[in-house]
Amino acid sequence: MTNKSKLNNNKRITKKERFDFIIDYFSNNNPNAGTELKYTTPYELIVAVILSAQCTDKRVNMITPPFFNKFPDINNLAKAEEKDVYELIKSCSYPNSKTRNLIGMAKKVRDIYNGIIPDEQKDLMNLPGVGRKTANVIASVVYNKPALAVDSHVFRVSARIGLTTNAKTPLDAEKQLVKYIPENKLSVAHHWLILHGRYVCKARNPDCDSCEIKRVCRYYQKNMSVLKKN
Ligand code: SF4
């Protein structure tokens, strides 16, 4: 019996039932969800994720091919001139600070980590331009570690569905989510929630009519009960 059929329409669902339904739904419908950033090596992924802060994956995927052509690895980027990096990433948001962060990240990886992108969250967060979200993406996508990165989509979608309650910060949301999502699903859950936020539960106009998880969504249930009262 699936979680869908186990749910009783007349009963208020518990948080655990809500999580179980979502995990069951996405496991069946998008079991291999992954990043939409294009990369072939850990170096390329960390560059792409740094560039993706406040920028769309689509834009980043336009920037990275010529970037990786000119700077194919950590050593090349560590030796780069700021003006050359800036020129290639200037169509992205915050190109000045991203230029400094990319070169700084490459120098640190070259000088402290022997040119290898580290796999521990604390080491990753030691790199310029790498916060907790980026560190978790690298740890989970590259090194298969049980980490859940909370970006703006994950933060918004989790709050709307009711997977989190009154989370004030991404770290707060992360702590609430990891309590209910099994370790072996943490990495893919990040992609489920991002993709759901990008294509269905959009920031301005969530497409609730076509959303297949609406029956467990707190936002949807609240709005429906308001409509019924009026
Ligand atoms: S029902 Fe609406 S608010 Fe809820 S997850 Fe789906 S799109 Fe988002």
Side-chain angles (χ1 to χ4, degrees), residues 157 160-161 196 200-201 206-208 211 213-214 217 219-220:
V157 169
R160 274 192 187 148
I161 298 171
H196 194 65
V200 183
C201 191
D207 187 3
C208 299
C211 178
I213 58 175
K214 57 176 170 271
C217 175
Y219 174 97
Y220 183 80

